Amino acid sequence: MQIDGHHTLTYVVARIAGMNHTCADKLAYCAQYVDEATNSEPIRFQNGAMFERISSAHKMLDYRNGNDLANHLAWIPFHFLPGNDGLESIDVPNGGFIKRLVCKPDSPVARDMLRSVAKYRQSPIGLYMMGIAMHVYADTFAHQGFAGVSHKINDVHNIESDDNNHNLLDRVKNNILNWSISSVSPLGHGPALSFPDRPYVSWSYEDHEGNHIKRNNTKDFLQAANQMYKAIKCYLEEDESMNLDQQNDMPQEKLSLIEQALKEFKDEDGEERHKKWIKWISKGKFGFDPVDLKFIVNGKKSWKEIARGKAVASPLSSDLMTYSYNENFLTSDWKYFHDALKSYRLDIIRDVLPKYGICVA
């Protein structure tokens, strides 16, 4: 998914589930910020304090990234959660280790991920953890069939689409050709470019084994929205077991409104689709009170600048940037998000994935 999915769709689903604006705003900000947190250098303060952070994405969403460790630390836990071929932890999929890594929608691994996050419900980072989880959970639907490592299993061939944007289709086909002559195996859905992340597209392709795969992104995104709704309902009801199967589906009239937006907003640029979602939200078209929703990633009103202020060059080195320390930093949204990001990755890599025989870092 892109910003229209991770930010505005997440916000709308949270509000429909009963979450108030303030919490839904933070939840959705975190869900999108997973794609924005591309820096991992420690933050140094002028008083000598330091804060370590990690990245949850690579700059430019570089699907040619050949760094295996970087893939294991970012793409796998945050964007291509391994699906264990849709099997429970006691079952071993055919096809070796790589089959375990392929992303599957709403897999038992994904359910265990949600339960791992739910245990933080009462902590200061609980809402931030849930926002990160909503990014990952949504991507199990959008990124299904692909793995967050450089491997031939991500090869696609004979891609076709009902989208009228022939320029995009031509670019995808050229991209597939470039992958085929490259010495680097494809990472994730790299060869298919943005097709899996475009909510209005139906498309098809042949996978690395020659299987003909048909995808209806609108249907997949609606399934994601419905399951996210159930997960947020569990969160609001403090159900740490995250028993989604005991929750009712999203009311059909609300799901139909979301479907309308997914189908109508057909801009290739996710930012443009995002603006249209924002406009609908400001007009109250989803059934809750109108609100002026924003996502500010840089500048004085962004989470990071509110928390850290502006960087200044250190007197020790012009290449070393420092920040003026503020006591409010410890309880800032930006720090809580990064605390949650570190806790999430550790729990997934150390606790959740090993249950399925998956060791990634």
Side-chain angles (χ1 to χ4, degrees), residues 58 62-80 147-151 184-188 349 360-361:
H58 300 305
D62 183 8
Y63 285 108
R64 276 190 187 272
N65 193 303
N67 185 324
D68 287 340
L69 180 59
N71 296 337
H72 281 221
L73 294 178
W75 293 123
I76 289 177
F78 295 110
H79 305 278
F80 296 88
V149 292
S150 296
H151 194 276
V184 180
S185 294
L187 192 159
I349 290 175
V360 293

Side-chain angles (χ1 to χ4, degrees), residues 124-137:
I125 65 171
L127 183 61
Y128 305 81
M129 290 284 283
M130 189 63 180
I132 294 167
M134 289 300 93
H135 180 112
V136 178
Y137 193 43

Side-chain angles (χ1 to χ4, degrees), residues 27-45:
L27 183 89
Y29 193 104
C30 291
Q32 173 57 26
Y33 205 69
V34 171
D35 279 343
E36 311 291 343
T38 60
N39 296 313
S40 57
E41 298 84 3
I43 299 299
R44 296 175 172 83
F45 294 98

